[in-house]
Amino acid sequence: VSNLQGPRYVSPAPKGGFVVSEECGDVKVFTSSRKLLCSLGSKYGHRFGNPAGVCVDADGSVLVADEQRRTVHLFPEHGAPVCLVSTGLRRPAGVACSSSGHLLVADAGENCVKVFKYCVRPR
């Protein structure tokens, strides 16, 4: 995959696709055949500061850590984006989702990993 603007983090997505964050840019979602499915900034009208870590949860929602804005947003397949974390982060870098509904955020500004509960839905 070429023509990315400073690719930073990448994560697998459902059905063999993947998600890539671009430094000071956007987050792009690709299909398993490496074709651009969408740009989250365009699809949701969202402006990122400096998108960093990305991951995809069990529901297919994309989670993005924004270093500049010090937030973590969830972008569902359908519906509006949701800000999951808006305070308490100094420099969120990496993100991961656990199967039990926890969001793990690597905070490079505080040299730690912070754990948040974000999903309380029975499987």
Side-chain angles (χ1 to χ4, degrees):
V1 176
S2 56
N3 297 323
L4 294 170
Q5 303 298 312
R8 297 190 69 200
Y9 291 83
V10 63
S11 175
K15 301 175 188 160
F18 58 97
V19 179
V20 180
S21 63
E22 297 176 307
E23 188 169 13
C24 297
D26 206 345
V27 175
K28 294 183 176 169
V29 181
F30 291 88
T31 66
S32 60
S33 59
R34 297 180 295 281
K35 296 205 183 308
L36 179 64
L37 182 63
C38 73
S39 153
L40 294 184
S42 297
K43 179 178 179 180
Y44 294 95
H46 184 85
R47 293 192 54 110
F48 292 98
N50 190 10
V54 292
C55 68
V56 179
D57 70 9
D59 295 327
S61 298
V62 178
L63 288 85
V64 180
D66 192 319
E67 282 183 332
Q68 184 179 20
R69 298 219 161 103
R70 299 177 180 176
T71 60
V72 176
H73 277 81
L74 178 140
F75 296 86
E77 272 191 273
H78 307 288
V82 177
C83 184
L84 296 178
V85 184
S86 61
T87 60
L89 298 174
R90 285 188 49 205
R91 201 171 103 222
V95 292
C97 301
S98 75
S99 59
S100 60
H102 287 92
L103 169 66
L104 299 100
V105 182
D107 191 336
E110 292 189 18
N111 296 314
C112 66
V113 173
K114 296 179 179 177
V115 181
F116 301 91
K117 188 167 188 156
Y118 82 98
C119 182
V120 189
R121 190 179 79 144
R123 299 247 171 243

